[in-house]
Amino acid sequence: MARPDKAAAVAELTDKFRSSNAAVLTEYRGLTVAQLKTLRRSLGENAQYAVVKNTLTKIAANEAGITLDDQLFAGPTAVAFVTGDPVESAKGLRDFAKDNPNLVIKGGVLDGKAMSADEIKKLADLESREVLLSKLAGAFKGKQTQTAQLFQALPSKLVRTVDALRAKQDEQGGAE
């Protein structure tokens, strides 16, 4: 790798691996330029889809501290570098691959951990971060409501029990 242009390409790819939350490796053989343009749009604003050279990408991944299986670098490869929500980009790739079987998801990396193609498809099945946070907030709110009802029920139950005891004592006192 003595050539300066290759060194610059490796440095750029290394930087992309380091600055990304996730990277998904795909095979794009058979896709037209128009289809690739559509794919780039479907990934969202927080992802870049780049056609890369396998050898340089493997070197860049190693320099970024990411270990990827050699099988991911077979055939023509393109990488989706995701800087935002990886679920959104995984959904975009999955949906595009359904309509265009020439796009093959090979595998990838999420927060430094290697992922298989199946794991990326499972990631795509998750709901978005905003939806999950909304559900979590709703669950917390529900638990708070239940706790408040419990704390309100205890004093009122105590008052009813004391009233019942007082009424029972009055009945027993009047009977003697």
Side-chain angles (χ1 to χ4, degrees):
M1 194 181 73
R3 295 192 3 210
D5 56 335
K6 288 185 179 183
V10 168
E12 182 181 350
L13 288 170
T14 302
D15 184 47
K16 284 184 179 183
F17 273 115
R18 287 183 178 147
S19 63
S20 299
N21 298 339
V24 181
L25 283 78
T26 64
E27 183 174 324
Y28 64 94
R29 186 184 332 217
L31 293 177
T32 65
V33 172
Q35 288 172 322
L36 287 173
K37 189 175 181 181
T38 304
L39 172 59
R40 285 184 174 102
R41 271 190 256 122
S42 71
L43 292 177
E45 296 176 8
N46 298 323
Q48 291 181 331
Y49 190 73
V51 175
V52 295
K53 292 187 180 263
N54 290 335
T55 306
L56 300 181
T57 305
K58 187 174 180 180
I59 293 168
N62 286 335
E63 286 184 10
I66 299 168
T67 305
L68 294 171
D69 189 10
D70 289 341
Q71 293 176 352
L72 296 177
F73 298 102
T77 303
V79 181
F81 293 102
V82 183
T83 55
D85 184 13
V87 174
E88 178 186 349
S89 298
K91 283 182 184 191
L93 284 168
R94 178 199 60 196
D95 295 343
F96 187 85
K98 282 181 185 176
D99 297 335
N100 300 284
N102 287 336
L103 180 74
V104 177
I105 298 172
K106 296 180 183 182
V109 178
L110 177 63
D111 293 327
K113 178 189 172 280
M115 296 181 70
S116 68
D118 290 335
E119 290 173 324
I120 291 170
K121 290 174 185 171
K122 286 179 186 176
L123 180 68
D125 291 336
L126 289 177
E127 293 173 335
S128 71
R129 182 176 190 271
E130 290 77 20
V131 171
L132 291 174
L133 287 174
S134 298
K135 285 184 176 185
L136 182 64
F140 281 141
K141 183 178 178 186
K143 292 297 178 188
Q144 288 174 342
T145 303
Q146 288 175 345
T147 304
Q149 290 171 350
L150 175 68
F151 287 138
Q152 288 175 348
L154 290 174
S156 64
K157 187 174 182 179
L158 177 66
V159 169
R160 287 193 303 271
T161 303
V162 169
D163 285 344
L165 284 173
R166 187 175 296 137
K168 189 173 184 179
Q169 284 178 347
D170 288 345
E171 286 177 14
Q172 288 177 354
E176 291 177 15

